[in-house]
């Protein structure tokens, strides 16, 4: 009987949450001022506040790094990438790769130097925070980009592709820095640079091979039912990530390469084949909603924003407004879209399209509990994610209207 009573508030909260989610989806699509994920995030914060009130009987929800990286990341990256055309993406591959590597490095050092100047945190520890918060998430502005006529398809591909590529780069650099800081790893140019190349190139090759194998299986089976294709693509998304991670390669880049390779040259396929895209659209919608709801609830259960000091808040503010734009301004002469150097207005769009997301939270959670600054980094990252999700989409929408 007690178990039944315990489940009642959970079921009631789920029903209310679904109704609220439908309402948020409707109004966010109409206004497009604040993205749906931002509303879901706020809904999660309200749930966290309610769960903190023990008299309501709601269970406390928390996020774990493994849940984000092994469940949500493969789904969201594959779902975002499978709709891209490899032929078109090649046109923005150079600027996307440049901003996802050199741009992230510049942003990482800017944040690290600011953190060092305002706190007593060392360089290597500051670099860990700098690279973690450099990762961007295109999901927050996906609704703004979708169907927008003022942005070219190449510009949209640059925004989405750069974000996915920089996630892979960030995870790789984070792993190297974590080894140096926490396991007394001595950096070696030959060994670590070689390992980095293997981490990246191996993941891309693995993803391409698995993607083509999946297409070959469907071809020899002469079966294009959407249920079969959906099953194959789900297996491809999780399989490529897990296999890459097992062999110490980038799971993010493996999923990205697998999705591009699988989806290349999709013309003249049956309608049933394309029905699986609706399955992925709904899967993305559910995964995205659950992820940001848990992220909001975790602000209350795992973070403590009230404990942030002024210096730490300043680091967050400077990082939010300055680190990425500095990197993009430095690289602007080399960022070409549609055959021309990107305009200053489009540069601002690219900057504010880079909201921070759950990957940053996952990497902070991967830090050892013995790390003295883990709680500080987590609180700062929570604030950075909240700020970017609430501020960046409206700014991006206004900038696009000026194009």
């Amino acid at each position: 009987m007690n178990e039944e009573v315990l489940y009642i508030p959970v079921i009631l909260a789920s029903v209310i949450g679904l109704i609220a989610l439908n309402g948020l989806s409707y109004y966010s699509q109409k206004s497009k001022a604040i993205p749906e994920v931002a509303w879901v995030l706020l809904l999660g914060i309200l749930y966290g506040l309610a769960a903190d009130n023990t008299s309501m009987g709601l269970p406390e929800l928390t996020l774990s790094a493994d849940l984000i990286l092994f469940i949500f990341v493969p789904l969201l990256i594959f779902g975002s990438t499978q709709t891209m055309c490899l032929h078109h993406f090649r046109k923005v591959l150079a600027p996307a790769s440049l901003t996802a590597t050199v741009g992230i490095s510049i942003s990482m050092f800017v944040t690290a130097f600011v953190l060092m100047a305002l706190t007593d945190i060392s360089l290597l520890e500051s670099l860990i925070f700098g690279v973690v918060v450099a990762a961007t998430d295109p999901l927050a502005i996906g609704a703004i980009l979708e169907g927008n006529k003022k942005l070219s398809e190449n510009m949209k591909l640059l925004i989405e592709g750069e974000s996915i590529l920089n996630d892979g780069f960030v995870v790789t650099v984070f792993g190297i820095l974590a080894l140096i800081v926490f396991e007394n790893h001595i950096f070696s140019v030959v060994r670590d640079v070689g390992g980095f190349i293997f981490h990246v190139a191996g993941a891309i090759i693995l993803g391409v091979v698995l993607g083509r194998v999946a297409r070959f299986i469907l071809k020899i089976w002469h079966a294009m039912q959407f249920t079969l294709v959906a099953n194959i693509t789900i297996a491809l998304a999780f399989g490529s990530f897990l296999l890459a991670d097992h062999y110490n390669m980038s799971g993010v880049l493996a999923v990205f390469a697998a999705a591009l390779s699988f989806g290349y040259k999709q013309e003249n396929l049956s309608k049933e084949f394309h029905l699986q895209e609706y399955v992925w659209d709904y899967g993305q919608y559910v995964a995205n909603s659950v992820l940001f709801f848990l992220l909001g609830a975790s602000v209350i259960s795992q973070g403590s924003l009230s404990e942030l000091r002024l210096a730490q808040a300043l680091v967050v503010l400077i990082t939010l407004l300055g680190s990425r734009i500095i990197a993009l301004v430095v690289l602007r002469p080399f960022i070409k879209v549609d055959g021309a150097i990107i305009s200053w207005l489009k540069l601002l769009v690219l900057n504010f399209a880079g909201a921070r997301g759950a990957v940053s939270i996952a990497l902070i959670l991967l830090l050892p509990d013995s790390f003295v600054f883990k709680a500080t980094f987590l609180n700062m990252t929570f604030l950075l994610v909240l700020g970017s999700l609430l501020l960046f989409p409206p700014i991006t929408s206004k900038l696009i209207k000026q194009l």
Side-chain angles (χ1 to χ4, degrees), residues 246-259:
H246 177 74
Y247 288 105
N248 197 30
M249 294 183 286
S250 172
V252 173
L253 293 179
V255 176
F256 178 71

Side-chain angles (χ1 to χ4, degrees), residues 9 86-87 193 197 205 211 214 238 261 300-301 309 349 360 364 376:
L86 179 59
H87 174 72
V193 172
I197 293 173
I205 294 172
F238 286 103
S261 177
I300 306 301
S301 62
R309 299 177 181 177
V349 171
S360 297
I364 295 293
T376 300

Side-chain angles (χ1 to χ4, degrees), residues 1 10 25 37 53 58 76 89 92 110 124 131-133 179 217 228 231 235 247 253 284 290 299 320-321 346 371 393:
M1 186 67 177
V10 177
S25 178
V37 290
N53 182 355
L58 294 176
L76 295 174
F89 183 71
V92 296
V110 170
L124 285 175
V131 73
V132 163
V133 298
L179 282 175
I217 290 173
L228 178 61
N231 289 339
Y247 288 105
L253 293 179
Q284 274 189 287
V290 172
V299 173
L320 191 66
L321 300 178
K346 289 183 179 179
F371 181 45

Side-chain angles (χ1 to χ4, degrees), residues 156 177 243 280 363 372:
K156 294 176 185 177
L177 289 173
L243 196 58
W280 273 101
L363 294 179
V372 66

Side-chain angles (χ1 to χ4, degrees), residues 31-195:
S31 65
K32 293 188 177 181
I34 297 179
E36 185 177 337
V37 290
W39 289 114
V40 174
L41 187 74
L42 293 175
L43 196 63
I45 293 175
L46 290 176
Y47 177 91
L49 291 171
D52 196 46
N53 182 355
T54 55
S55 63
M56 298 189 68
L58 294 176
E60 189 178 81
L61 301 178
T62 59
L63 267 179
S64 70
D66 288 344
L67 181 65
I68 297 174
L69 293 176
F70 290 97
I71 301 299
F72 291 111
V73 167
L75 280 174
L76 295 174
I77 289 181
F78 193 95
S80 299
T81 308
Q82 68 155 351
T83 57
M84 293 183 182
C85 173
L86 179 59
H87 174 72
H88 291 128
F89 183 71
R90 285 186 298 187
K91 298 177 183 178
V92 296
L93 178 60
S97 301
L98 184 68
T99 53
T101 53
V102 179
I104 289 296
S105 300
I106 295 173
S107 178
M108 172 183 68
F109 278 103
V110 170
T111 300
F113 288 143
V114 171
L115 186 60
M116 283 180 59
L118 296 178
T119 67
D120 58 350
I121 301 176
S122 68
L123 174 60
L124 285 175
E125 293 167 338
S126 298
L127 285 173
I128 287 179
F129 179 75
V131 73
V132 163
V133 298
T136 61
D137 186 349
L139 298 172
I141 48 87
I144 298 174
L145 297 179
E146 187 178 357
N148 195 296
K149 303 296 184 182
K150 294 189 176 183
L151 282 179
S152 67
E153 290 303 315
N154 286 339
M155 187 65 191
K156 294 176 185 177
L157 282 174
L158 175 61
I159 292 172
E160 296 174 353
E162 183 262 338
S163 180
I164 296 173
L165 290 175
N166 78 39
D167 280 353
F169 182 76
V170 162
V171 172
T172 303
V173 174
F174 170 83
I176 295 173
L177 289 173
L179 282 175
I180 295 173
V181 173
F182 303 113
E183 298 186 19
N184 298 319
H185 175 79
I186 299 175
F187 181 78
S188 168
V189 174
V190 175
R191 181 185 59 206
D192 290 316
V193 172

Side-chain angles (χ1 to χ4, degrees), residues 363-398:
L363 294 179
I364 295 293
L365 292 174
L366 282 175
L367 294 173
D369 292 334
S370 58
F371 181 45
V372 66
F373 296 114
K374 180 175 181 178
T376 300
F377 283 5
L378 186 61
N379 290 331
M380 294 169 67
T381 306
F382 270 134
L383 184 59
L384 192 60
V385 170
L386 286 172
S388 65
L389 285 175
L390 294 176
L391 295 177
F392 282 14
I395 294 174
T396 305
S397 182
K398 289 183 180 180

Side-chain angles (χ1 to χ4, degrees), residues 310-340:
L310 177 60
Q312 297 165 359
L314 284 175
V315 172
V316 171
L317 182 62
I318 294 171
T319 301
L320 191 66
L321 300 178
S323 63
R324 181 171 167 83
I325 191 65
I326 290 172
L328 292 177
V329 169
V330 171
L331 296 177
R332 179 178 175 266
F334 308 100
I335 303 175
K336 293 185 178 181
V337 180
D338 299 319

